[in-house]
Amino acid sequence: MTELRAAPRELGAPTRTRLEGVDVARALAVLGMLAVNVGPRDAEGLAAAFFRIPHGRASLLFVLLAGVGISLLTRRARLPGGSLPWPTLLWRAALLLLGGLALQLLDHDVTVILPTYAVLFLLAVPLVRAPDRALLVAAGAAVVAGPLAWLTVQTATGATFDLAPAELADAPGEVVRTILLTGPYPVITWLAPFLLGMWVGRQDLAARDVQRRLLVGGSVVALAAVTTSRLLVRELGEPGERLGPDRLVSAVAHSQMPLWLVGGAGAALAVLGAALLLVPRLSTRPGARTVVSALGATGRLSLTIYVAHLVVLALLVRPGPETAAEGVVITLLMAAAAVVLAAAWTARFGQGPLERLLRLPRTSAPHGPR
């Protein structure tokens, strides 16, 4: 959803080489979210792993890549004399907020992530020129402070958040409260992976050593978070149904707890590192080149595909699927259609139809996406 160009190797000399590995990683995030949203989420057996693996990970990858994209989009603002493209960020935030709230009205049984995405874009405006170290420290602080605040508000008031998503018909105050705190993607906790993504987007993602560190470091962090949670649960017991400090040991998907955020963010970094490492190598092989190009196109049309899959779910799929096997078939068909259509569209038209809407009018500042 944002312009993806390699970070400049030298100050004042930004490269124009597109990072196709970031596009492929975004494609994996969107397709993973598609699988989770198709469901069924309560499936059991071997086929259920098809939905469990991306659950709570694909969405974190999606948000982390949003942060990466923001840093790549605003790289010139950090150069001497560079102007901040705040009109572009505000325009995109407004469209994603209104569009996301409207999409929530459809009968697709999915919690739409776009309103949270929009608020994160707004929060990015004053952070574009923040020092790299400050972003990294802020991400580390947010991964602890956000979940603690989310938990403390509920335990102090005795009111458990219903996690219901905001809709276009809701009162403005309710929309703000839902997006920031009480909804399924509360900004107070999802800010951490977004800030981490902004920091990652400032690194030299075209460098092999950076790519390897993302892959290895992310994998180690993801494994350490899950292992730590299991050890704590074994020693202290499973968290109770009532919200309390014991919930902090959880790494369950969408628990909003630190170990889940850390583990999911680590997995996201590993996926990004793997994509950046593998895409250039696979692109030299004719058969693999076709697949990589199609996935890259899918990543570039992420907003269009995300919105389209919600419409398809609402009109053609719900109330199904009823079994895991049926869900796998539907997911594969929708994913294949998305990849093929994305490749065909980009070959003919370039930008996706909804991605074009994110461009500022011609009379605006010349820092919008190309």
Side-chain angles (χ1 to χ4, degrees):
M1 295 182 191
T2 51
E3 184 183 11
L4 301 175
R5 304 286 181 182
R9 290 178 180 271
E10 297 181 6
L11 194 63
T15 174
R16 301 298 297 166
T17 303
R18 188 175 185 97
L19 288 167
E20 194 169 18
V22 180
D23 292 328
V24 170
R26 179 170 281 109
L28 296 177
V30 172
L31 296 178
M33 293 174 72
L34 188 155
V36 173
N37 292 339
V38 169
R41 303 183 186 94
D42 58 352
E44 297 181 357
L46 183 60
F50 185 81
F51 308 103
R52 282 199 302 268
I53 292 174
H55 183 51
R57 297 182 178 91
S59 51
L60 283 176
L61 173 59
F62 200 53
V63 169
L64 181 134
L65 290 173
V68 171
I70 288 294
S71 285
L72 296 176
L73 172 67
T74 61
R75 66 198 180 281
R76 287 189 179 87
R78 296 187 296 277
L79 299 176
S83 59
L84 178 66
W86 60 267
T88 295
L89 296 176
L90 295 182
W91 175 260
R92 293 183 178 196
L95 291 180
L96 292 175
L97 177 61
L98 294 176
L101 294 175
L103 284 168
Q104 197 62 67
L105 297 171
L106 297 178
D107 189 19
H108 43 56
D109 191 28
V110 172
T111 52
V112 180
I113 198 172
L114 296 183
T116 295
Y117 220 91
V119 173
L120 291 173
F121 273 34
L122 289 177
L123 294 176
V125 174
L127 297 174
V128 165
R129 293 194 177 103
D132 290 7
R133 185 181 296 275
L135 277 180
L136 192 58
V137 170
V143 83
V144 176
L148 284 177
W150 184 85
L151 193 60
T152 299
V153 170
Q154 294 176 86
T155 55
T157 61
T160 302
F161 299 150
D162 59 12
L163 304 182
E167 298 180 354
L168 190 60
D170 293 342
E174 181 63 25
V175 170
V176 172
R177 183 165 53 252
T178 299
I179 296 174
L180 295 181
L181 188 62
T182 68
Y185 301 107
V187 168
I188 195 171
T189 56
W190 287 72
L191 179 62
F194 179 77
L195 292 176
L196 178 62
M198 286 187 67
W199 177 81
V200 169
R202 296 185 180 189
Q203 312 310 303
D204 185 2
L205 296 180
R208 285 290 191 186
D209 59 334
V210 173
Q211 297 167 358
R212 293 189 186 98
R213 284 199 295 270
L214 290 174
L215 173 58
V216 176
S219 300
V220 170
V221 167
L223 180 60
V226 173
T227 302
T228 299
S229 176
R230 290 180 178 176
L231 290 175
L232 289 173
V233 168
R234 188 176 67 183
E235 294 297 321
L236 304 175
E238 290 281 354
E241 293 185 7
R242 189 181 183 87
L243 281 175
D246 58 341
R247 188 65 63 89
L248 291 170
V249 305
S250 177
V252 173
H254 295 283
S255 64
Q256 313 303 335
M257 292 295 101
L259 289 174
W260 166 62
L261 289 170
V262 170
L269 293 176
V271 170
L272 176 58
L276 290 168
L277 278 168
L278 291 176
V279 163
R281 297 181 182 181
L282 294 175
S283 297
T284 61
R285 304 174 183 178
R289 172 69 249 173
T290 301
V291 175
V292 167
S293 295
L295 286 175
T298 303
R300 291 192 289 278
L301 268 66
S302 58
L303 177 59
T304 296
I305 291 171
Y306 181 83
V307 172
H309 102 279
L310 295 177
V311 175
V312 170
L313 286 176
L315 298 181
L316 302 177
V317 177
R318 298 302 184 225
E322 297 181 357
T323 66
E326 183 182 347
V328 170
V329 171
I330 292 174
T331 297
L332 292 177
L333 289 175
M334 290 178 64
V339 172
V340 171
L341 291 175
W345 181 279
T346 54
R348 178 65 177 84
F349 303 105
Q351 277 191 318
L354 295 185
E355 283 72 17
R356 289 180 182 275
L357 291 179
L358 297 180
R359 300 178 63 177
L360 282 168
R362 291 293 183 181
T363 55
S364 299
H367 295 286
R370 295 169 178 79

